[in-house]
Amino acid sequence: MTDDRLSQIARALNRREWLPTATEMALGNAFFERVNRLVKEPQVPADLPPLESRWEAWLIQDLSLHARLHAEVEGELLPLWRGPLTDSPMLWLVERWVEIGRELLPFAERLLAAWNTAPPIPTAAELAAEQDRAHDPEWAAAQLRLRMARQWEVAVIPTVEQTDLLEPAAMRLAKVRSVLTAATTGDVDY
């Protein structure tokens, strides 16, 4: 039923049968302002490398950001908007994002707990060796850290769990976020 509701909202938005009100758009903007702020803030835990747009994000970086955003949206944002937007499709989208996002929290908790005991940080010698072999030392160092992180992440959350549980939830979350983006920006010609 919830996928049907998402499809109904997306269709109504696309056909312009639902035109979000200024209040609904304010909720969407508040959601994305939190996303943008958290992306710019230092990572948690503090020794986690920062998110950089030119490098592929590690799973722990994505899930750490998701966990912080989820806590803010569920604990701070939704309580402010439930009264003014009762029965609103925009409120439903944010609530659905929280509901699906809850499925990712155990994965975030596992990775963050493991990071606190044994983070995958290359030694200075490993970095130097990798950089010596490459034309672009910065790229080589980033790729080494990414490879090490991927191996470590698979050790903490095996590939079968990532494929069968985490990725489907992340895809459902992306669908909700896509409709939420369209509703917030008014860009519904997708």
Side-chain angles (χ1 to χ4, degrees):
M1 178 61 183
T2 54
D3 287 337
D4 291 342
R5 176 81 169 126
L6 180 61
S7 295
Q8 290 169 351
I9 290 171
R11 199 170 22 262
L13 189 61
N14 189 261
R15 293 177 180 167
R16 291 170 173 69
E17 295 166 355
W18 171 48
L19 299 172
T21 65
T23 305
E24 289 172 319
M25 292 176 81
L27 169 57
N29 283 321
F31 176 87
F32 287 109
E33 285 169 5
R34 288 175 188 277
V35 171
N36 293 332
R37 179 181 46 77
L38 288 173
V39 164
K40 294 174 187 170
E41 286 182 358
Q43 287 287 315
V44 175
D47 60 344
L48 194 63
L51 283 169
E52 295 185 46
S53 59
R54 60 188 173 165
W55 309 122
E56 185 178 349
W58 301 359
L59 181 59
I60 189 172
Q61 290 172 317
D62 282 341
L63 290 178
S64 171
L65 174 66
H66 172 78
R68 291 183 299 145
L69 178 61
H70 189 276
E72 283 194 21
V73 171
E74 185 172 42
E76 299 170 17
L77 188 66
L78 278 176
L80 296 173
W81 292 92
R82 280 197 172 108
L85 291 177
T86 303
D87 298 325
S88 161
M90 186 72 83
L91 180 65
W92 184 89
L93 289 169
V94 176
E95 288 176 330
R96 182 67 178 138
W97 183 92
V98 166
E99 181 183 336
I100 296 169
R102 201 171 287 119
E103 297 174 36
L104 299 179
L105 295 179
F107 297 107
E109 290 166 4
R110 282 170 53 190
L111 283 172
L112 291 168
W115 182 271
N116 289 329
T117 59
I121 299 173
T123 65
E126 290 171 322
L127 280 172
E130 190 73 18
Q131 290 171 329
D132 287 345
R133 289 192 293 267
H135 295 295
D136 182 347
E138 186 181 7
W139 180 85
Q143 290 305 303
L144 175 62
R145 286 190 293 271
L146 177 63
R147 278 194 314 275
M148 289 180 77
R150 291 280 186 260
Q151 291 169 354
W152 174 82
E153 289 168 345
V154 167
V156 177
I157 302 174
T159 303
V160 70
E161 280 187 80
Q162 290 187 34
T163 303
D164 293 350
L165 302 172
L166 192 143
E167 290 173 11
M171 292 300 294
R172 289 192 315 278
L173 201 63
K175 288 178 185 177
V176 172
R177 187 170 169 163
S178 175
V179 176
L180 185 57
T181 300
T184 301
T185 64
D187 184 9
V188 297
D189 296 320
Y190 53 91

